Structure formats: C-alpha cells, structure tokens
C-alpha cells in the first residue's frame, strides 16, 4: 500500500463554482479512509485530483498531492496510473467492449506481461470477485453489479499501491 498527502487542495470550475476549498488530508500506509458527504461536495473531484485527471497546468486545481512522498506534479499520468488504481461510480466509464477475461487482462497485457501469466492472474482475480466462469461473456451480458465487480477486478489485477473506490457499490444489487 502507500501513503497519500493532500495539501491545500483547491478546485474552481470555469463557471466560478468552487468544488474543493483548502482541503488537507494525510493518509498513512495501510490506512483505510471513507469520505462521506452530500452530492456535489467535492468527493469525486478529489478522486480525480489524486488520479491526475484534473490538469494542474491550467490552474483549475492547486495545492500539493504526494503519493508515498513523491509530488504528483513530477509524475507522468502513466506513473500515477500504475501507482493508483481507481474504480469509478459508473463502471461503464472504464469498461471497454470486450470479454470479461480480456477486460481484466488488458492493463497487464499493455504492460508487456507474458500471456500465460496474464491468464493466471485474471483467473485468480475473477475468482476473488465472484466472476469466475464468466470469462468469455460479453460485458454487455453482465448485470450492473457484475459490471461493478468487473471494474474492481480490472483494477485489483494490477495490484496498485493505492486503491480508490468512488461510490463502488452504487450499481450493486443483491443478486449480482
């Protein structure tokens, strides 16, 4: 796991709405934190800031973000993506049109991992997320809850140092 430090984070949208105002937080290695707040209070904006999806260059966000003591301003988007695994509220935003196994193995294949290793890691994470036996299904055949677990499996397979879940159970249902 990893530490995360957010120092004086501010985010103002072009229309003048200030989504985050002087937010500070220290999360130590192996710590588990839950953000709770009403819609529009800045939770997802903070997730986007940590994951590098908000551009610091255009002045839309300011403050300092450190992952394991390293300033993210000095990190490439690829470095942040390897370091931080994120599951978003709407799983379809991060799912491609492929089979379940292909979706989960995609990030590993892009990192040049050998096909036999990818296959084994995919099998392991699908079992852990309750998706074993669904490897060859089309993503469009999955329920909302299964798609959410697929999004989680696709992140877990990469073994990120920091895992961020943005309303990860919003699409879940008791049956799947």
């Amino acid at each position: 796991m990893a530490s995360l430090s957010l120092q004086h984070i501010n985010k103002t949208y072009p229309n003048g709405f200030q989504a985050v105002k002087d937010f500070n937080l220290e999360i130590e290695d192996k710590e588990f934190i839950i953000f709770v707040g009403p819609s529009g209070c800045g939770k997802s904006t903070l997730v986007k800031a940590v994951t590098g999806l908000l551009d610091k260059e255009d002045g839309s966000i300011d403050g300092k973000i450190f992952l394991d003591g390293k300033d993210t301003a000095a990190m490439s988007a690829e470095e942040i993506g390897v370091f931080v695994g994120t599951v978003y509220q709407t799983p379809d935003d991060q799912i491609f049109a492929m089979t379940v196994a292909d979706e989960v193995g995609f990030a590993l294949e892009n990192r040049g991992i050998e096909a036999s290793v990818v296959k084994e890691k995919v099998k392991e994470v699908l079992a852990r997320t309750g998706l074993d036996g669904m490897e060859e299904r089309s993503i469009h055949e999955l329920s909302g809850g299964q798609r959410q677990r697929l999004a989680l499996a696709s992140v877990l397979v990469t073994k990120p140092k920091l895992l961020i879940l943005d309303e990860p159970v919003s699409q879940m249902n008791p049956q799947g």
Side-chain angles (χ1 to χ4, degrees):
M1 300 309 287
S3 64
L4 173 66
S5 176
L6 303 173
Q7 300 175 3
H8 304 288
I9 304 299
N10 293 283
K11 167 63 177 163
T12 303
Y13 286 96
N15 67 3
F17 176 72
Q18 190 166 20
V20 180
K21 183 178 181 182
D22 197 29
F23 187 83
N24 296 281
L25 179 68
E26 299 291 327
I27 302 174
E28 297 300 321
D29 184 29
K30 295 182 178 62
E31 215 169 8
F32 181 83
I33 301 293
I34 298 174
F35 291 110
V36 179
S39 180
C41 74
K43 299 179 304 289
S44 293
T45 299
L46 285 170
V47 169
K48 290 175 184 174
V50 170
T51 58
L53 294 177
L54 293 179
D55 189 4
K56 292 181 181 183
E57 300 298 318
D58 69 6
S60 65
I61 183 167
D62 69 331
K64 295 273 187 187
I65 301 170
F66 295 92
L67 295 170
D68 263 355
K70 187 173 181 183
D71 188 345
T72 60
M75 297 172 78
S76 69
E78 184 178 343
E79 286 178 289
I80 293 172
V82 168
F83 197 98
V84 180
T86 309
V87 177
Y88 294 95
Q89 179 177 358
T90 306
D92 292 342
D93 291 347
Q94 70 190 77
I95 293 175
F96 301 106
M98 48 180 79
T99 68
V100 168
D102 289 342
E103 170 70 27
V104 175
F106 184 75
L108 296 177
E109 290 170 4
N110 277 347
R111 294 179 186 175
I113 309 260
E114 185 179 318
S116 62
V117 173
V118 170
K119 187 174 181 176
E120 186 58 35
K121 289 183 181 289
V122 166
K123 183 178 179 180
E124 289 171 14
V125 77
L126 289 179
R128 285 187 11 223
T129 56
L131 294 171
D132 48 334
M134 298 184 189
E135 293 83 356
E136 297 307 315
R137 280 197 192 175
S138 163
I139 290 164
H140 302 292
E141 296 177 82
L142 303 178
S143 70
Q146 289 167 332
R147 287 182 187 199
Q148 194 75 53
R149 288 190 313 225
L150 174 60
L152 181 60
S154 297
V155 170
L156 289 176
V157 76
T158 66
K159 297 189 177 185
K161 291 182 180 181
L162 180 67
L163 178 61
I164 298 176
L165 307 172
D166 186 7
E167 298 190 43
V169 295
S170 64
Q171 303 290 319
M172 293 290 195
N173 56 50
Q175 290 78 34

